[in-house]
Amino acid sequence: MKYNAIVGQSGGPTAAINATLSGVIRGCRESGKVETLYGMYNGIEGALKENFCSLFDVIDSEEKHRLLEGTPSSALGSCRKKLPKTDDPEAKATYEKLFNVFEKYNIKYFFYIGGNDSMDTVAKISAYAKENNKEIFAIGVPKTIDNDLMGTDHTPGFGSAAKYIAATVAETARDSAVYDLKSVVIFEIMGRDAGWLTASAALPSLNSSAAPDFIYLPERAFDEDKFIADIKSKLEVKNTVLVAVSEGIKNADGKYISASERSEMKDAFGHAYLSGTGKALEMVVRDKIGCKVRSIELNVLQRCASHIASETDINESVAIGRFAGLKCTEGESGKLAVFVRSDSEEYSVTYDLKDVALIANKIKKVPDEYINDEGNNVTKACLEYILPLIMGENKIEYVNGIPAQIEIKPYK
Amino acid sequence: MKYNAIVGQSGGPTAAINATLSGVIRGCRESGKVETLYGMYNGIEGALKENFCSLFDVIDSEEKHRLLEGTPSSALGSCRKKLPKTDDPEAKATYEKLFNVFEKYNIKYFFYIGGNDSMDTVAKISAYAKENNKEIFAIGVPKTIDNDLMGTDHTPGFGSAAKYIAATVAETARDSAVYDLKSVVIFEIMGRDAGWLTASAALPSLNSSAAPDFIYLPERAFDEDKFIADIKSKLEVKNTVLVAVSEGIKNADGKYISASERSEMKDAFGHAYLSGTGKALEMVVRDKIGCKVRSIELNVLQRCASHIASETDINESVAIGRFAGLKCTEGESGKLAVFVRSDSEEYSVTYDLKDVALIANKIKKVPDEYINDEGNNVTKACLEYILPLIMGENKIEYVNGIPAQIEIKPYK
């Protein structure tokens, strides 16, 4: 007997999150167990509002699958809504509404593509279903450029962001070194709690291209005096010193370096709102060294540059979505689909499921062996870990000289 | 009889300036009249310091030519040095030194790849040679992402920057629209005096992709009240309003928007916050509208993104360099190589020479017919002018997942 399924995207978008969506569509179709696959708009908010489309109808050809896989950001929109705790008395109405919608649309399979916070939603839906004897199978599919999810070798979206960062640093390094004068360039790279993306800035060193001389990750307390000493000593032996910093670096007192930390702004999850770490350090260098200095914030471009997406990342993102589609329709629930890297010398991954409750709301940091003793760069082992994830260039179509995209519109 | 030649790069780098260098090497080689082609490091400064390499030796295969054509920024370095006026009494020593170097190295042909200021150098060297009966032929080859050189249909480097901007805006537009809330995104794009690059942000509209709702160029005085009114009215009909502004926009009093906002802001260290134009307008929107707002400075990435260079731009940049190489060795001097666009419906260019003295130090602005009546967007005619310049994707080699580059080192 066939049932319906529903899929949503949540959290910050990536260049690969639509590839995973495409994979879920492929998996559900191949399973032969799904009649209609609903796409919910703006994540769980769309489920509550019944703001849907029918994905088998919208993505009905291999060409459209490929177009979706090359379109950045969340085609179904996103949200940052967190479901209340299932034992919260006020939460009852929300869960009842949600499960009424599932019943109304004959939905049995629930897919949520997202990061830490989204896995929390999967855990809660799965738990509520079990507690209330509802036959709803909920599976999480990972997505985050930050690569900070526990339980998986890496996350879909990270490889493409890392490739963009590596290429951009290699190109900008050339741009920064053309004048015969002393200068410092500071790249500010995303990463609130984990330094994976910032570590990727070191990849151009594998090609003997100019790479950052210093890399500061949130895994180490940032020492401004050491930072200035690092740069000063390097400026004695070369003209252009390149630095990469994570937006989330903090000093030994746990205070963000970011210029806007005083504003005490917080996002919907209570995370401190960060901007301007690079700008803050630019001003420190100008004050204490006085040479030419420029900060470059890679900004949202690092998470949506489909035009230079990693082929490995996109292929794996499709595959893990498909895997989730097949497993959920086999009756798995409360799980997160994960990558398992093989131990063999040649890189390969297999796919597995892990209990989502053990993974949600945790953060995988860059381990000690990937950071050098001085805490101002990454090790060779770190680059060896990242390198396979950026390999290959995903082929995309260009129309009028611009990357082609597909748009998925809701019913209403 | 064979003589030697010399080539340099000057001013801000682009993604196509090495393609033009490759073209000059091709042209000089094909001419059969050049024994050694010297590359001077850091522009005219390298000529004065005899800081050279031998380009026929360094770029000695088609493979290396292609690698050079895909490497961003100035492979020979750059400078911002302007030669003194030839009739300046104190200038004599500089010119004598320079022409002594030419004599010492048996140099007859001089090539300078650059923008406005660089053409001034070509004009002066050519004039000095004529005034002093020196047999030095000097040719300028254009380069600037700004597209603001007179006398040429467009400039090498512009098409690749425009393509990067169009792709980035199309991708970021998707990233910005995922949440179901009112928000404004402001792209700050290069262009102090001319709005060509900012106009390119409108190209995604040709694909029905999200494109800026408003575009403000330095060709029009910027009116903050009108800007806020524009955004407010658009926010009534859509969630995400996209704005592109040139870094160089000024108000009716001729004051830069970036400068006028700076004094008020302080960073976490109590320093005046040196914001750009986009950041300044971000703060204006936050103050006067209060919705979510983000500014994105495309920064130097827009001029060095070889990984998404326009094939048309790179091919034309090679061709104009080759043309200059052939013409100079035929005895042309004091000229700038230019593009002439055909009148036919299908886009094509031919190459010509124009008197460099008529072109140096002038600025080609975006003409009135390319800007809408309200002064807050560009016209269809503008997009039709830019479109052919961004067509095609230059094929580059990737090593370790990162664009391959070539480095050219000086003798010493």
Side-chain angles (χ1 to χ4, degrees), chain A residues 220-286:
Chain A
R220 294 286 180 273
F222 182 79
D223 179 339
E224 192 181 296
D225 293 336
K226 174 74 165 68
F227 164 74
I228 291 296
D230 282 347
I231 293 177
K232 275 188 175 166
S233 71
K234 191 58 79 174
L235 280 172
E236 283 171 20
V237 295
K238 61 187 294 218
N239 258 349
T240 311
V241 173
L242 303 174
V243 177
V245 298
S246 294
E247 59 177 347
I249 52 171
K250 297 174 183 173
N251 64 20
D253 299 330
K255 279 188 73 177
Y256 284 117
I257 303 305
S258 135
S260 61
E261 56 142 326
R262 278 192 182 174
S263 65
E264 289 172 359
M265 282 168 69
K266 297 207 190 297
D267 73 11
F269 294 102
H271 304 137
Y273 178 83
L274 299 185
S275 75
T277 305
K279 202 66 169 174
L281 292 179
E282 177 188 319
M283 290 186 274
V284 170
V285 169
R286 191 167 289 128

Side-chain angles (χ1 to χ4, degrees), chain A residues 11-14 18 42 45 49 71-80 163-164 166-168 170-172 174-180 190 203-204 206-210 224 257-262 265 273 275-276 279-284 286-287 294-301 303-308 387 390-393 396 398-408, chain B residues 10-14 18 42 45 49 70-80 163-164 166-168 170-172 174-180 187 190 203-210 266-276 279 282 286 293-301 303-308 387 390-393 396 398-408:
Chain A
T14 79
N18 287 333
N42 300 115
E45 285 177 5
K49 289 179 188 166
T71 296
S73 189
S74 310
L76 297 174
S78 184
C79 72
R80 291 208 176 269
K163 187 183 185 81
Y164 173 84
T168 297
E171 291 178 336
T172 311
R174 295 295 292 241
D175 182 279
S176 306
V178 296
Y179 297 113
D180 185 18
M190 284 182 170
L203 289 164
L206 297 172
N207 284 9
S208 315
S209 293
E224 192 181 296
I257 303 305
S258 135
S260 61
E261 56 142 326
R262 278 192 182 174
M265 282 168 69
Y273 178 83
S275 75
K279 202 66 169 174
L281 292 179
E282 177 188 319
M283 290 186 274
V284 170
R286 191 167 289 128
D287 272 6
R294 185 196 291 274
S295 65
I296 299 174
E297 188 186 352
L298 295 194
N299 216 312
V300 296
L301 284 61
R303 71 180 186 203
C304 62
S306 284
H307 71 268
I308 189 170
L387 179 61
I390 71 161
M391 292 304 289
E393 294 71 53
I396 58 165
Y398 281 78
V399 177
N400 286 319
I402 302 166
Q405 300 180 341
I406 194 168
E407 224 177 319
I408 302 180
Chain B
S10 176
T14 79
N18 288 333
N42 299 114
E45 284 177 5
K49 288 180 188 165
T71 296
S73 189
S74 311
L76 297 173
S78 184
C79 72
R80 294 211 174 265
K163 187 182 185 83
Y164 174 84
T168 298
E171 291 177 337
T172 312
R174 295 295 292 242
D175 182 277
S176 306
V178 295
Y179 298 114
D180 185 19
F187 295 96
M190 283 182 171
L203 289 164
S205 63
L206 296 172
N207 285 7
S208 316
S209 294
K266 300 239 186 281
D267 70 16
F269 301 98
H271 303 137
Y273 189 80
L274 297 176
S275 73
K279 203 64 167 177
E282 177 189 319
R286 191 166 289 129
V293 53
R294 186 197 289 275
S295 64
I296 299 174
E297 187 186 353
L298 294 195
N299 217 311
V300 297
L301 283 62
R303 72 181 185 203
C304 63
S306 284
H307 70 268
I308 190 170
L387 179 61
I390 71 160
M391 291 303 290
E393 293 71 52
I396 59 165
Y398 281 77
V399 176
N400 286 320
I402 303 166
Q405 301 180 339
I406 193 168
E407 223 177 320
I408 303 180

Side-chain angles (χ1 to χ4, degrees), chain B residues 22-32 34 321-326 329:
Chain B
S22 172
V24 170
I25 301 169
R26 291 178 189 273
C28 284
R29 198 181 266 127
E30 285 172 36
S31 76
V34 177
R322 181 177 165 274
F323 174 79
L326 292 171
T329 51

